[in-house]
Amino acid sequence: MSKAEQTQQVRAGQGFIAALDQSGGSTPKALRLYGIEEDAYASDEEMFDLVHDMRTRIAQAPAFTGDKVLGAILFEMTMDREMGGKPSAQYLWQERGVVPFLKVDKGLADEADGVQLMKPIPDLENLLGRANDAGIFGTKMRSVINAAAPAGIAAVVDQQFEIGNIILDHGLVPIIEPEVTISISDKAEAETILRDEIAKHLDTLPEGREVMLKLTLPETANHYKPLVDHPRVLRVVALSGGYSREEANDRLSSNTGMIASFSRALTEGLSAQQSDAAFNDTIAASIDSIHRASVSG
């Protein structure tokens, strides 16, 4: 795998990042939306088999290629499995031209100071070594902001960059994801605090170190443009955060330089009961619409 080629695709490619990284906590909902109820599986192993089948079906769809899907974020168990007879990360890059990323966080801690920090990641060093061996390009880790609380938001960003620097030390590119909950009344204020905290940390990164940012679509268009333009930022991607695909695409279209990294909005309308033709047509239409929004800003 060519890291230089992958870096150029992520930096300048005209497309978006697919988020295929539902974890144990979010997998039942993802499967339910896909038409598979909880009584269809009797164990976590069966549940993860079903969601891997869903992810593989998406990755093998004719429209799921690097022409419009620049990269894909994988769950650890997906990295450890195969697609199309190859390890998942190798399949994505070699067969589909899609740059592989890995979700590395272990979920969220209880809320404090208006935010949820990440739980400790005790096996991070080992996981990053395995990711490198598997051909992973970068990582993703998520925190949540539930209020415009300066101390809490500062703690979220501090933790993200602390772990991000460990990831950079291992030669991987971290996607820093401090999600702002879309339903909070002070969302715009929280976004201003967040933007300024991120900028402080970016200014301390030495030359040659770059991170990616995954941010909730903001209330004010181009609110994050200073981060998009920052020399230490490889790319800024947007999470859909509960917005419908239509609204997420509409908001994204107004933000210059941001591209999508949608999960639920990407898989909206897909069903396990669809024929391959119907499934492929649905995911192709979804990819087309998210791609248009990603390149129109």
Side-chain angles (χ1 to χ4, degrees):
M1 296 188 185
S2 167
K3 278 289 180 74
E5 187 179 356
Q6 291 177 334
T7 300
Q8 181 59 20
Q9 176 161 313
V10 172
R11 185 191 309 280
Q14 295 296 296
F16 66 94
I17 308 291
L20 304 178
D21 60 328
Q22 297 92 348
S23 61
S26 57
T27 294
K29 181 179 179 181
L31 286 173
R32 193 161 55 249
L33 291 171
Y34 184 54
I36 298 176
E37 298 295 334
E38 292 186 45
D39 60 5
Y41 47 90
S43 66
D44 283 352
E45 184 177 358
E46 291 180 9
M47 177 183 74
F48 285 120
D49 285 343
L50 288 168
V51 80
H52 186 70
D53 289 345
M54 180 185 80
R55 291 166 176 156
T56 300
R57 196 179 186 192
I58 291 169
Q60 292 180 327
F64 196 90
T65 71
D67 291 339
K68 294 180 179 177
V69 184
L70 305 180
I73 305 169
L74 306 178
F75 183 50
E76 182 180 350
M77 201 171 290
T78 309
M79 177 186 74
D80 292 337
R81 297 189 181 207
E82 291 189 347
M83 293 178 174
K86 290 186 174 184
S88 295
Q90 291 183 29
Y91 176 80
L92 285 169
W93 179 243
Q94 295 172 5
E95 304 298 328
R96 314 303 289 166
V98 173
V99 178
F101 293 80
L102 176 68
K103 168 186 163 69
V104 296
D105 69 80
K106 301 301 183 183
L108 299 170
D110 293 338
E111 182 174 332
D113 293 328
V115 304
Q116 289 177 274
L117 296 173
M118 291 179 284
K119 291 179 179 178
I121 314 174
D123 59 345
L124 180 61
E125 299 275 350
N126 175 59
L127 179 59
L128 296 176
R130 288 172 47 222
N132 268 313
D133 291 343
I136 295 291
F137 172 81
T139 66
K140 191 212 80 163
M141 50 190 175
R142 172 177 171 261
S143 314
V144 172
I145 295 167
N146 293 317
I153 293 173
V156 160
V157 179
D158 286 348
Q159 184 191 42
Q160 284 276 349
F161 274 87
E162 179 184 358
I163 299 173
N165 274 304
I166 295 171
I167 292 164
L168 285 164
D169 288 343
H170 284 75
L172 299 165
V173 176
I175 299 178
I176 287 167
E177 182 185 8
E179 175 179 349
V180 177
T181 302
I182 65 172
S183 58
I184 61 175
S185 60
D186 51 1
K187 180 171 179 279
E189 184 181 352
E191 288 167 346
T192 295
I193 298 168
L194 176 62
R195 181 191 61 194
D196 295 345
E197 285 294 330
I198 291 173
K200 288 180 194 175
H201 282 269
L202 291 173
D203 289 343
T204 69
L205 287 178
E207 186 173 351
R209 288 207 155 195
E210 292 180 304
V211 301
M212 294 175 65
L213 303 172
K214 182 167 179 175
L215 304 171
T216 305
L217 289 158
E219 292 303 288
T220 302
N222 289 321
H223 178 77
Y224 292 121
K225 189 65 165 57
L227 305 182
V228 171
D229 295 335
H230 198 285
R232 299 294 178 266
V233 175
L234 179 62
R235 203 79 192 250
V236 177
V237 303
L239 58 100
S240 50
Y243 293 122
S244 69
R245 183 167 63 232
E246 182 178 1
E247 182 170 1
N249 283 340
D250 184 59
R251 284 175 174 256
L252 180 60
S253 297
S254 300
N255 286 276
T256 304
M258 288 184 81
I259 63 173
S261 180
F262 295 168
S263 175
R264 185 206 44 75
L266 171 65
T267 58
E268 192 176 299
L270 297 179
S271 168
Q273 290 74 40
Q274 287 171 317
S275 66
D276 286 344
F279 180 95
N280 290 338
D281 286 346
T282 301
I283 192 66
S286 176
I287 287 170
D288 285 346
S289 71
I290 297 171
H291 174 263
R292 282 195 302 271
S294 294
V295 302
S296 66

